[in-house]
């Protein structure tokens, strides 16, 4: 019972936070270069636990101490999914993840057609290609495994004069991860372990395969 209550509270907090993020992403339509803001993009998938943890514990801080005023935030809910024949999409964590990715895509921006396919094309066009999720990009530069330190990169990239308190209050030294650091908290794009995949398309077929 205690675990269920905790899980419910976490889910409610997650949904509330996403409501704020989605509202901001839907309202923000001015390009980063035109506004002088730093672009901050998160490429993720809904059922990757590391993506959820990053959003709740770290990305939420974008709303603190005026940081959001210098950030052009973009959320891309696609992650390690694959596009197959007939534009069918297979998701790393099953059919429910495909559904949630689509729901969040709708919440961010209501595309008239081909919701997830647009995010698929954007994710597949990344240079360098993403290796895992969460994949955080600041002004076109991926942060790799140092994604939790995104605020430091945003502050260093900002060239304007209205420096927010979030930047004034922290050191601008970027911490480089060493070999002694623990295993990265990511969901790999290529996984050699057996996992279930769900194919979403005509007839909503489900299948299991090994990577």
């Amino acid at each position: 019972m205690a675990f269920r209550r905790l899980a419910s509270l976490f889910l409610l907090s997650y949904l509330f936070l996403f409501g704020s993020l989605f509202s901001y992403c839907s309202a923000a339509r001015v390009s980063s270069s035109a506004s002088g803001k730093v672009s901050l993009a998160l490429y993720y998938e809904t059922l990757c636990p590391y993506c959820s943890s990053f959003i709740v514990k770290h990305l939420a801080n974008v709303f603190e101490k005026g940081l959001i005023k210098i950030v052009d935030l973009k959320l891309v809910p696609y992650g390690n999914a694959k596009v197959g024949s007939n534009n069918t999409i297979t998701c790393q964590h099953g059919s429910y993840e495909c559904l949630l990715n689509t729901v969040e895509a709708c919440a961010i921006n209501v595309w008239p057609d081909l919701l997830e396919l647009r995010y698929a094309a954007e994710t597949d066009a990344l240079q360098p290609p993403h290796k895992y999720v969460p994949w955080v990009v600041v002004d076109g530069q991926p942060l790799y495994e140092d994604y939790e330190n995104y605020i430091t990169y945003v502050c260093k990239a900002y060239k304007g004069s209205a420096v927010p308190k979030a930047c004034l209050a922290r050191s601008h030294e970027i911490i480089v991860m060493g070999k002694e650091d623990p295993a990265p908290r990511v969901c790999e794009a290529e996984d050699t372990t057996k996992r279930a995949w769900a194919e979403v398309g005509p007839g909503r077929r489900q299948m299991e395969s090994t990577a």
Side-chain angles (χ1 to χ4, degrees), residues 6-197:
L6 183 61
S8 297
L9 287 173
F10 179 82
L11 179 60
L12 288 173
S13 299
Y14 182 79
L15 292 175
F16 177 79
L17 173 60
F18 261 101
S20 300
L21 292 173
F22 289 159
S23 296
Y24 173 80
C25 290
S26 298
R29 289 293 179 269
V30 180
S31 67
S32 302
S33 57
S35 65
K37 293 183 177 182
V38 178
S39 68
L40 172 62
L42 169 63
Y43 296 82
Y44 72 103
E45 55 196 20
T46 51
L47 294 185
C48 170
Y50 304 118
C51 292
S52 301
S53 177
F54 170 70
I55 290 168
V56 173
K57 296 180 180 179
H58 299 279
L59 191 60
N61 296 331
V62 77
F63 293 107
E64 295 183 359
K65 298 181 180 179
L67 187 65
I68 195 64
K69 294 180 180 179
I70 68 167
V71 168
D72 179 15
L73 179 63
K74 177 192 292 185
L75 302 178
V76 183
Y78 179 76
N80 299 327
K82 305 289 185 183
V83 178
S85 60
N86 299 322
N87 287 332
T88 56
I89 296 177
T90 59
C91 293
Q92 188 171 28
H93 298 96
S95 60
Y96 193 50
E97 180 170 73
C98 283
L99 173 63
L100 290 176
N101 285 349
T102 302
V103 169
E104 294 188 6
C106 289
I108 296 169
N109 196 352
V110 182
W111 303 114
D113 297 296
L114 304 178
L115 290 156
E116 276 295 280
L117 291 177
R118 179 156 185 168
Y119 286 129
E122 184 174 343
T123 302
D124 291 342
L126 281 169
Q127 291 297 330
H130 88 286
K131 299 179 179 180
Y132 42 74
V133 291
W135 187 259
V136 180
V137 180
V138 173
D139 269 1
Q141 300 299 316
L143 305 190
Y144 296 98
E145 295 170 14
D146 200 25
Y147 63 86
E148 292 182 353
N149 197 30
Y150 76 94
I151 293 179
T152 296
Y153 290 88
V154 167
C155 292
K156 289 185 72 68
Y158 181 60
K159 306 304 181 184
S161 58
V163 180
K165 292 181 179 179
C167 295
L168 296 174
R170 67 188 291 117
S171 169
H172 287 186
E173 294 295 325
I174 295 177
I175 302 173
V176 179
M177 297 182 67
K179 293 183 178 180
E180 68 278 8
D181 291 309
R185 294 164 53 83
V186 299
C187 291
E188 299 283 349
E190 298 295 337
D191 191 353
T192 57
T193 61
K194 183 177 181 180
R195 62 190 177 195
W197 290 77

